[in-house]
Every structure is written in C-alpha cells, then in structure tokens.
Amino acid sequence: MVSSKSNVILFDSHCHLTDRAYSLNLKEVINRAKDTGVKYLLTAGLNRSDSKNSLKLCHEFDSIYCSIGVHPHDADKFSESELTEFKILSKDNRVKAIGETGLDFFRNYSKPENQERAFRAQIDLAKELNLPMVIHIRDAYPQTMKILKENGYFKGVLHCYSGDEAFAQEAIKLGFYISISGSITYDGNKLKSVIKQMPLDRLMIETDAPYLAPVPNRGKRNEPAFVRYTLQTIAQILNKDFSSLAQITTDNAKRCFGIQD
Ligand SMILES: [Zn+2]
Ligand SMILES: [Zn+2]
C-alpha cells in the first residue's frame, strides 16, 4: 500500500470529472486527489456539451485542465458546425488538447464511417490549433495508424493504452506519448513488456476515472487519488523508485499538454 504521498507531484492525465458518479461530492474527490499529491488533472471531453462542462470545471477548481472533442462513441452525432465552437472554446488557456477522439470498433456505439469522419476532422482541428490530441483506440489499431499517417499530424497521447509493443514503438517514433491506466494493476495484464520497452520520457499515467479503478479498489468507482496505485505498479515493473517516476510522468504530461507552471 502506498500511503499519502504529499511530497510527490502526480498528474492524472485522463479522467472524466463531469461524470454523474461525482455529482454529489466532486469537491471531496478533488481534495482527496490533492491530499495524495495529484496536483494536475486533465478531464477529457466526450462531446460538445461535455466539453463545455469540462471547461466550466476548470474554472471552478485550480489545477484542472481539459480536452475538448467528440468521443468515438458520440461520433454519430458529430457535425462540422461543432468545429467552430471548439475553436472558440480552445481560446481558453485551460483547454490543453483536442479529444478524446479516435476509433472504437469494439463497442461500435457509432458507425465506423462516422467515427472516421469525426476523427479526421479533429486531427485537422488539432493541427490547425497546434494542440495535442487525446486519442482513444479500441480494436482499431491499424485503422487508427492509417488515418494518423494520412493526416500527417502526430502530437498527443494514446490514452488508456491497450495495444501491442510494435504499435507503441511506432507511435512513440512518430512523437506520441503513451498513457497507462489502472488496468496495469490487474492480474495477467499484457502491457508489462510494452512498458519495459518504452522510453521513460513518453510515459504518462491516468485513471480514466470513474472507470477502471486500480487494485485495491477494482470494481469500485475510480477517482484521481487512485492514480498512485497505477504508478506504484509501474514502479514495480520497472524496478524504479516511486517518486522519481512521479516526477518523470508529471513532467511528461506537462510537456505533452504544454503546461508551464
Ligand atoms: Zn477513452
Ligand atoms: Zn476517457
């Protein structure tokens, strides 16, 4: 067990603080994150209204940043007119990325062709705004790489990474960061060798809260304070010290999202 680590600074690079799971006690959740050293949080927008709500939260609490965009699950509802709105929202300096965007052919909650259309439009938007992207990929690794290469823009993070070593290496060579979620704490997780092969300056950590709570809280509501369990597991896999990895992953996320302070 890692106790309160107030001497370290952590960055939960991907969570969903607008989720109704927090509607009754978001303030407590954010305070618990702070108490455990999570100084920085990026809450990821899922669609037009969620992106607006995410930005609103950034102004209610210190140290919260957001990404704005349309999740592949919501791609059926995406229209080009949203791009103008996202451009306006992006002028706010708490907006640090476009997304989450990408492809999810596991759930296919939106039609694959609509997912691709929304993804391409958001790559173009990120390129135009020179912002990094928060990319979600599930059962769509070759298709995602094909689209990224066709659009020629390689800035951002592959969040909640679940792909193989070869894909990770290719993405890293192109310039991407890789973010590891709490699923790394689950028995039999296949990412251990991926992490061992990664250059440390591309590694980020996240909760994807309220989903994917790490052990010892697996199955419960996740929250940013739990990101330390993920880092603890990574530290064991890499045989590295917790606080130096905290520093490295925080610096990486700050560099990825262009956060100076
Ligand atoms: Zn995602
Ligand atoms: Zn997410």
Side-chain angles (χ1 to χ4, degrees):
M1 273 284 263
V2 181
S3 58
S4 177
K5 288 272 180 186
S6 51
N7 54 335
V8 299
I9 296 176
L10 298 167
F11 196 138
D12 181 358
S13 73
H14 191 108
C15 54
H16 296 282
L17 298 176
T18 54
D19 196 280
R20 69 165 77 91
Y22 306 116
S23 55
L24 295 177
N25 60 357
L26 183 61
K27 206 170 177 181
E28 283 166 39
V29 165
I30 288 171
N31 285 337
R32 267 200 296 278
K34 277 188 182 162
D35 289 347
T36 54
V38 185
K39 185 179 172 195
Y40 302 96
L41 300 142
L42 184 122
T43 189
L46 297 170
N47 51 50
R48 181 202 302 240
S49 66
D50 189 56
S51 295
K52 281 188 192 163
N53 290 338
S54 299
L55 183 54
K56 214 187 278 173
L57 278 188
C58 295
H59 291 289
E60 286 169 26
F61 299 93
D62 309 334
S63 68
I64 300 181
Y65 299 91
C66 71
S67 66
I68 54 171
V70 179
H71 192 284
H73 292 341
D74 286 349
D76 280 349
K77 288 173 273 170
F78 168 75
S79 77
E80 306 286 322
S81 67
E82 293 179 45
L83 298 171
T84 317
E85 206 166 339
F86 288 141
K87 271 183 215 173
I88 296 166
L89 292 178
S90 76
K91 292 193 167 65
D92 190 301
N93 70 2
R94 291 294 182 104
V95 174
K96 293 299 179 191
I98 297 299
E100 56 185 293
T101 180
L103 301 174
D104 193 319
F105 294 167
F106 176 71
R107 302 263 183 218
N108 270 330
Y109 288 152
S110 284
K111 290 193 188 107
E113 59 268 33
N114 287 339
Q115 294 188 38
E116 291 196 17
R117 189 172 56 89
F119 185 28
R120 286 181 195 276
Q122 290 175 87
I123 299 172
D124 287 343
L125 178 67
K127 200 197 270 187
E128 185 186 332
L129 299 170
N130 193 28
L131 282 173
M133 301 173 284
V134 173
I135 300 178
H136 169 112
I137 315 169
R138 195 138 183 227
D139 281 4
Y141 282 90
Q143 296 91 336
T144 302
M145 187 55 84
K146 182 173 171 278
I147 290 176
L148 286 168
K149 285 185 170 168
E150 283 169 8
N151 286 262
Y153 187 64
F154 309 111
K155 191 170 171 173
V157 56
L158 310 186
H159 107 87
C160 196
Y161 188 70
S162 64
D164 63 16
E165 224 173 289
F167 189 96
Q169 289 300 332
E170 189 174 8
I172 286 165
K173 262 187 214 128
L174 290 167
F176 287 107
Y177 291 79
I178 305 269
S179 179
I180 304 296
S181 75
S183 60
I184 191 68
T185 66
Y186 305 165
D187 282 343
N189 186 281
K190 295 192 184 83
L191 283 177
K192 292 187 171 75
S193 61
V194 174
I195 292 174
K196 283 183 184 166
Q197 299 304 321
M198 272 185 62
L200 281 183
D201 66 350
R202 300 303 181 83
L203 176 67
M204 285 162 53
I205 51 169
E206 66 173 80
T207 56
D208 207 6
Y211 315 107
L212 291 174
V215 173
N217 297 315
R218 188 174 184 180
K220 296 186 191 155
R221 181 191 72 174
N222 198 1
E223 61 175 68
F226 301 163
V227 79
R228 69 187 192 277
Y229 297 115
T230 298
L231 191 65
Q232 185 192 16
T233 301
I234 295 173
Q236 280 162 0
I237 293 167
L238 295 177
N239 197 18
K240 296 245 186 254
D241 166 65
F242 180 92
S243 45
S244 62
L245 271 184
Q247 177 87 54
I248 290 167
T249 51
T250 296
D251 288 348
N252 291 345
K254 287 175 72 178
R255 195 181 326 110
C256 176
F257 296 129
I259 294 168
Q260 317 286 349
D261 54 336

